[in-house]
Amino acid sequence: MSPVHSITGRLTAMFALAALLVLSLLGYALDRELATVLERQQVEQLDTKFQDIDYVLQRLRGPEQWARIHAKLDALTPPNRSTQYWILSDDPRIRYGNALAEIVGIRLGANSVGELRIGGQVEPMLIRSDYLPANERHAALRFIVGVDSGPYARTRRTFRSVMLVSVSGGMLLAALIGYFIAHSGLVPLKRLSQEAYALSPNMLSQRLMTAKLPAELSDLVGSFNGALDRLEVAYQQLESFNADVTHELRTPLTNLIGNTQVALSRERSVPQLVEVLQSNLEDLERLRGIVNDMLFLARANLGERPQQLLFTSLATEVHKTIEFLDFLLEEAQVSVRVQGDARAPIESALFCRAVTNLLHNAIRHSEPGAEIVVELVSRDGQAHVSVSNPGPDIPHEHLGRLFDRFYRVDASRTKSGESHGLGLAIVKAVAAMHAGNVFAASSDGITTVGFSVSTGAHEKQNHNPLIS
Ligand SMILES: Nc1ncnc2c1ncn2[C@@H]1O[C@H](COP(=O)(O)OP(=O)(O)OP(=O)(O)O)[C@@H](O)[C@H]1O
Ligand SMILES: [Mg+2]
């Protein structure tokens, strides 16, 4: 892993940078302070020496005293020449000082303090100078005291080198400490990653441990475990769905194989074979029905949207559907009444399929002579289609699951071959495709099952030009 993408790498670099910044600022401040202190010391040293000699010069009585002054200056000059004196004047008797000829430059600033450079010397001398105009006792002269600034400059250079080493060392140390802090701080994360790695579909109930985790991680682990809960439910649903599918397909397949085996067991006449083929065809059609329904649900689940939305009267669509079911209604001796109307953008084929499924159920669960009521109401941006029929109440605990795939209230009907329990799942899928929902209620001998479709918001989502 590249250091940029590793938390340890980043934290180490950040620690090192922070240390560099803090130590550099500290070093700079100390360097400035040291410079000020050293400069003050130099000036103080210079001032003391200057005042001593200035005092003597101010009290000079005659030219005969110059020899004494020169001797005193000789005595005051240390052998290493860290302090030096010069007297510049036109009068050669007054003139004094080492290497007068080698002075290459004098620069004076405020308070007559400045620098003097002697050829061949690396560091300039720090000087203080005074000018005494000519009087009856001596010619005009300039008196200079200089102290060598070399030792001070060397002290600062040494300090800077020490600082440079300290800053680099401090930075490395901080990086090292940062590395260990980050490394040990990330141990719980590593443990989690190992735990997560060990998760497998064979142990779906396994969860990541939240105990002893830092607060920052326990929230994350809580959310992750929540996702695992949902995955487990979805996985179990899928498993039971697979079991249901197998079960539903097995019955017609067993029938097909059984019928065919019986038919082949001995010589059959043509009419007998036709009968077997007809019976097989019914089973095959049932199989096709299940497969088609499952395919539809799978596509809807993958987010397939309606192809052509048309803003239309739902009552008209319901009447069209009832006409198709005429024969079934007559056979069951039930009637249908359509109440109200609503307009919504729908795909007619999908809408009719959902209404057909609801009517099929209502017809199947109604006694002869019953009246089925289809009610259309527009409310809260949704057009509600509800199909009510008289019949025994569905127990409350089943109502929430009616729309699950393969769910049937009466389990004994499962084997009857009449239904596969996909009708209401398809109603739910159609409602979802139209940004709607489903509902079911059953009380006082009336069962109402229905769905809704969006009346307007859906239109904006789809940007379908067919909607008028
Ligand atoms: N009007 C109703 N009255 C009583 N029970 C109903 C009604 N509508 C649905 N149910 C119950 O809900 C179950 C699920 O209905 P669904 O339409 O999904 O499946 P199905 O009718 O059994 O099979 P399919 O519709 O695939 O032929 C039914 O098996 C039935 O028990
Ligand atoms: Mg049904």
Side-chain angles (χ1 to χ4, degrees), residues 357 361 364 423:
N357 286 359
N361 285 352
R364 190 180 294 151

Side-chain angles (χ1 to χ4, degrees), residues 237-255 286-287 290-291 294 405-406 408 414-415 420 422:
Q237 276 175 356
L238 197 69
E239 287 282 285
S240 69
F241 176 67
N242 285 343
D244 286 337
V245 170
T246 321
H247 182 80
E248 289 299 323
L249 296 181
R250 201 174 51 184
T251 316
L253 280 175
T254 314
N255 289 349
R286 249 190 91 198
L287 278 175
I290 297 176
V291 170
M294 277 168 41
R405 295 168 189 190
F406 297 116
R408 274 157 287 197
T414 308
K415 293 188 186 72
H420 6 281
L422 290 175

Side-chain angles (χ1 to χ4, degrees), residues 25-226:
L25 282 176
L26 200 71
Y28 178 76
L30 285 176
D31 185 54
R32 293 305 322 147
E33 184 59 23
L34 183 70
T36 314
V37 170
L38 289 178
E39 212 172 292
R40 201 186 309 132
Q41 269 183 14
Q42 268 177 301
V43 171
E44 275 170 10
Q45 190 187 359
L46 200 62
D47 279 353
T48 322
K49 306 217 157 132
F50 180 83
Q51 273 151 20
D52 284 354
I53 305 306
D54 201 42
Y55 181 82
V56 177
L57 286 179
Q58 297 289 349
R59 279 155 190 75
L60 191 78
R61 271 183 228 103
E64 69 287 352
Q65 286 187 315
W66 282 111
R68 259 185 61 211
I69 288 173
H70 287 175
K72 185 174 168 77
L73 291 177
D74 280 345
L76 283 174
T77 306
N80 65 0
R81 300 205 176 282
S82 59
T83 306
Q84 292 197 54
Y85 304 89
W86 292 275
I87 300 172
L88 313 179
S89 172
D90 290 339
D91 183 349
R93 285 173 305 165
I94 297 177
R95 237 179 271 155
Y96 175 82
N98 242 302
L100 265 178
E102 289 161 33
I103 294 175
V104 288
I106 298 177
R107 192 167 56 81
L108 278 177
N111 307 329
S112 301
V113 175
E115 279 178 5
L116 179 146
R117 283 190 173 274
I118 298 176
Q121 267 188 12
V122 184
E123 301 296 341
M125 303 278 292
L126 186 73
I127 56 161
R128 180 149 184 205
S129 160
D130 200 9
Y131 177 74
L132 303 183
N135 58 25
E136 63 285 357
R137 283 164 286 154
H138 59 77
L141 64 93
R142 175 168 286 283
F143 171 62
I144 301 170
V145 181
V147 291
D148 185 7
S149 60
Y152 296 99
R154 276 193 292 283
T155 306
R156 280 194 71 190
R157 273 203 297 276
T158 311
F159 174 78
R160 282 182 183 169
S161 313
V162 170
M163 267 325 284
L164 198 70
V165 173
S166 309
V167 169
S168 321
M171 195 175 92
L172 279 178
L173 193 68
L176 206 67
I177 293 171
Y179 175 81
F180 281 110
I181 289 177
H183 194 73
S184 61
L186 289 175
V187 164
L189 204 62
K190 285 210 172 105
R191 210 188 64 218
L192 266 186
S193 132
Q194 279 162 1
E195 271 186 48
Y197 189 75
L199 294 175
S200 83
N202 304 331
M203 293 183 284
L204 272 179
S205 53
Q206 207 175 344
R207 297 289 177 269
L208 298 183
M209 303 238 292
T210 42
K212 290 191 201 156
L213 270 185
E216 293 86 346
L217 283 182
S218 61
D219 280 354
L220 175 76
V221 170
S223 316
F224 188 76
N225 282 343

